Amino acid sequence: MRVPYGDELHADTSRRWAEARSAGVVHALRWWIVEGSALAAGAALEHVDRGLRRVGVRGRPEDGTLTGDGMMTDLRWLMREVRRNPGFSVSLVLVLSLALGLATAVFSFVDGVLMKPLRYADGDRIVAVWASRPGESVDRVPLTQWDIQRLRERPDVFESVGAFTQQRSAMQLPDRVIEIGFGWITTSIHDVLDVEPVLGRTFLESERGELVALLDHGFWMRQFGGDPEVLGSTIRIAQQPWTIVGVLPPDTPLELPSRGRVPQPTDVWSIMWVEGEDPTAAWMRTVARLAPGVSVEAAAGVAAQIAEEGRRIFPERAEWDFQLDVAPLREDFTAGVSRQLRLVLAGTLVLLLAAVANAGNLMLLQRERRRHRTAVRLAIGASAGRLSVTALMEAALFASVAAALAVPLAGIGLDTLVRWTPADVPRLDAVVFDARAGLFLVLSAVVAAALLAAISIAWTADVPTDDVVRPSRGDGPSWSGSRLVAAEVAFAVPLLIVGALLARSATELAEVDPGFDADGAVAVRLALPN
């Protein structure tokens, strides 16, 4: 259009720009956005058209090849078919969008809890170390001073070793007393986790025996309103004064393993130290950072050697069959829920495949209704390749619309899952709908589109051309269509059975009998001064 109408277009554009500029900054900005969008879209289409002509895709419509004009013709034909059968289109998109939304929500939940890396630098090198006493059927026992000192003697395997313990305590405010989570950590734990305060500093070795405190970022915001002047001030915990020296960052709180696998949020941390080699007082939970190049298996082997040495020196450990267990910190967090969540994810994926199979059945029924029109297209010269591309475009269209609708459904489903999840599930703060969940949704939609397109192409390959003169209305599907429907049903039924069995297994794992009657029982926790 630029050649015959260029001057007129230029004059009209200049006039509208002058009007927008005279109306004010807002109108001028709006003019740039609207005109820029139109210019970008037009330029993109023009470059695509030039590229298609250059590679020879857009040729003569009568040469039997699929041209760019032919693709637009097929797309317009598909839109007419959608308007002609809105019930079919709505049903197919609804089935796919619900399945994609549910699967994406479950994947995002499982990904946040089980698969996302920890928020520490080189988090894969951080491990939790526990003791166990198989002879007494006891696991996840904290370590003693003797155990920690032996680990520290192997810097070639354990680069740094940190210990901690947690409890509940009472904090005195001017007008009331509140219960807080209180923890003790060694100074070396910052070397293990590589976490630096966002305000103030960490503990110093010279502060052993002093009452100094490091605040969690959320606790700092709730109780002190994020006031930076809190540094150096005093708070009273368990009727003793503690001096605040720092505040932890919000994005990397101290995520530490709990003995009962139930997260224990800690509001205030203080310093503790490991002195002596007492082999009896097991109260220090332990994390360690592996040396570069050391695997978890190698660290577990060294821990087994230390445990064997302890059994040889201390007779009671031999009676207990004392062991030391090493596990990646992320796996230690999620060991109590990983099996159930993996089963739920597997069942959801199975149900997603079943939903795609059901959508394929709908696609086959719709194809049977179009059998006469498809035969006419074949008779007037459309090639099998042309019809296959049309089927692919149709499948991609439905899958794209379903994926777009699945985004808000996934968000609603994810919020519901987080809200209904019990408090003993760790890492819930990492459960968000992010780029990983979006990539999963896109890949699932691509797989669904490919399966639907394969079903349609398989059906198209056996359309009888004599339907042009003798439409087979009311005679039921063709022989090939019947085979495809049977295969669809044969594929969907076992998927549904497997999905139901997986859901049942996950339910039974979540309802393990605790061994006592818990109905009507309550737990009371008292935070008393030492």
Side-chain angles (χ1 to χ4, degrees):
M1 292 179 59
R2 289 200 301 264
V3 175
Y5 304 109
D7 294 338
E8 182 179 352
L9 287 172
H10 182 271
D12 182 67
T13 302
S14 300
R15 176 184 57 80
R16 288 186 289 112
W17 162 238
E19 294 175 354
R21 186 174 54 183
S22 62
V25 177
V26 176
H27 289 276
L29 180 61
R30 179 182 176 185
W31 184 90
W32 273 108
I33 294 174
V34 173
E35 295 293 331
S37 301
L39 180 63
L45 290 174
E46 183 173 344
H47 280 285
V48 169
D49 181 74
R50 288 181 179 178
L52 291 174
R53 294 182 185 276
R54 185 163 52 248
V55 300
V57 174
R58 296 194 65 163
R60 299 186 308 276
E62 64 273 10
D63 63 1
T65 62
L66 181 62
T67 65
D69 293 331
M71 293 177 66
M72 294 303 298
T73 301
D74 288 347
L75 184 59
R76 287 192 293 269
W77 176 80
L78 287 176
M79 299 307 299
R80 287 197 300 269
E81 291 294 327
V82 169
R83 290 193 298 269
R84 183 178 299 172
N85 299 287
F88 155 75
S89 304
V90 171
S91 300
L92 193 148
V93 170
L94 184 61
V95 168
L96 283 181
S97 60
L98 288 175
L100 290 172
L102 174 63
T104 304
V106 173
F107 169 82
S108 187
F109 186 91
V110 176
D111 178 58
V113 175
L114 297 184
M115 293 180 279
K116 280 185 179 177
L118 297 177
R119 292 172 291 190
Y120 303 128
D122 296 328
D124 293 337
R125 291 170 52 198
I126 305 176
V127 296
V129 185
W130 293 96
S132 61
R133 301 172 181 174
E136 295 184 329
S137 300
V138 178
D139 62 354
R140 295 180 70 82
V141 179
L143 273 57
T144 67
Q145 293 176 347
W146 187 90
D147 301 312
I148 293 177
Q149 296 294 6
R150 298 292 82 75
L151 293 174
R152 287 178 171 176
E153 292 173 357
R154 294 298 305 270
D156 58 321
V157 177
F158 301 101
E159 184 179 272
S160 54
V161 179
F164 68 99
T165 186
Q166 294 166 294
Q167 64 186 49
R168 307 298 294 180
S169 188
M171 177 176 174
Q172 289 80 34
L173 298 178
D175 56 342
R176 66 189 188 280
V177 177
I178 62 173
E179 185 190 45
I180 65 171
F182 190 83
W184 304 83
I185 53 177
T186 61
T187 56
S188 58
I189 206 163
H190 295 286
D191 298 328
V192 175
L193 303 179
D194 193 20
V195 175
E196 294 296 331
V198 69
L199 184 67
R201 59 173 176 82
T202 59
F203 302 128
L204 305 175
E205 287 288 339
S206 59
E207 292 176 326
R208 288 188 175 189
E210 298 183 14
L211 301 181
V212 290
L214 195 62
L215 303 183
D216 177 77
H217 191 276
F219 181 75
W220 175 56
M221 295 297 295
R222 292 192 305 271
Q223 293 298 329
F224 301 96
D227 183 9
E229 300 298 326
V230 72
L231 292 180
S233 62
T234 301
I235 55 177
R236 292 191 62 83
I237 301 175
Q239 300 180 352
Q240 291 182 305
W242 302 77
T243 302
I244 301 174
V245 299
V247 178
L248 292 171
D251 53 342
T252 52
L254 293 183
E255 293 180 310
L256 296 170
S258 172
R259 183 173 183 177
R261 301 194 191 280
V262 178
Q264 297 182 9
T266 301
D267 303 311
V268 181
W269 293 93
S270 188
I271 184 175
M272 79 171 187
W273 58 94
V274 179
E275 288 184 340
E277 295 190 355
D278 185 354
T280 59
W283 58 277
M284 289 177 286
R285 283 170 268 169
T286 307
V287 291
R289 178 176 288 271
L290 300 180
V294 176
S295 65
V296 176
E297 292 75 16
V302 173
Q305 296 174 7
I306 296 174
E308 183 180 358
E309 180 184 357
R311 292 193 301 269
R312 187 174 60 254
I313 298 175
F314 308 109
E316 62 273 18
R317 293 196 173 192
E319 296 177 2
W320 299 335
D321 190 20
F322 184 86
Q323 307 286 340
L324 284 179
D325 305 317
V326 178
L329 185 58
R330 183 178 61 181
E331 295 182 9
D332 186 82
F333 279 147
T334 60
V337 297
S338 60
R339 183 180 300 178
Q340 293 95 322
L341 291 182
R342 293 183 192 279
L343 280 174
V344 170
L345 179 60
T348 304
L349 294 178
V350 168
L351 293 179
L352 174 61
L353 291 176
V356 174
N358 290 330
N361 283 330
L362 292 174
M363 184 77 78
L364 285 177
L365 293 175
Q366 180 66 2
R367 287 286 174 175
E368 286 294 330
R369 297 180 61 180
R370 299 178 189 166
R371 184 163 53 175
H372 176 64
R373 294 194 294 275
T374 302
V376 171
R377 295 186 67 188
L378 286 171
I380 62 178
S383 64
R386 174 72 175 272
L387 294 182
S388 298
V389 173
T390 304
L392 182 60
M393 292 175 60
E394 182 178 24
L397 175 64
F398 285 129
S400 300
V401 175
L405 294 177
V407 172
L409 294 176
I412 296 173
L414 186 60
D415 291 341
T416 304
L417 285 174
V418 173
R419 190 178 302 112
W420 288 356
T421 298
D424 58 348
V425 175
R427 308 192 68 201
L428 285 180
D429 56 340
V431 176
V432 293
F433 187 89
D434 55 7
R436 294 160 66 102
L439 179 61
F440 173 84
L441 175 59
V442 171
L443 292 178
S444 300
V446 169
V447 172
L451 292 176
L452 293 179
I455 292 171
S456 298
I457 292 171
W459 176 88
T460 304
D462 198 31
V463 173
T465 55
D466 57 358
D467 273 4
V468 174
V469 295
R470 186 176 54 83
S472 54
R473 296 179 180 177
D475 295 340
S478 64
W479 182 69
S480 62
S482 299
R483 285 187 301 169
L484 288 172
V485 171
E488 290 277 327
V489 175
F491 178 66
V493 170
L495 285 176
L496 291 173
I497 295 174
V498 171
L501 291 176
L502 288 171
R504 179 181 176 183
S505 298
T507 302
E508 291 181 354
L509 282 172
E511 297 178 354
V512 175
D513 185 3
F516 58 89
D517 184 8
D519 293 337
V522 297
V524 180
R525 183 175 59 211
L526 300 178
L528 300 177
N530 292 333

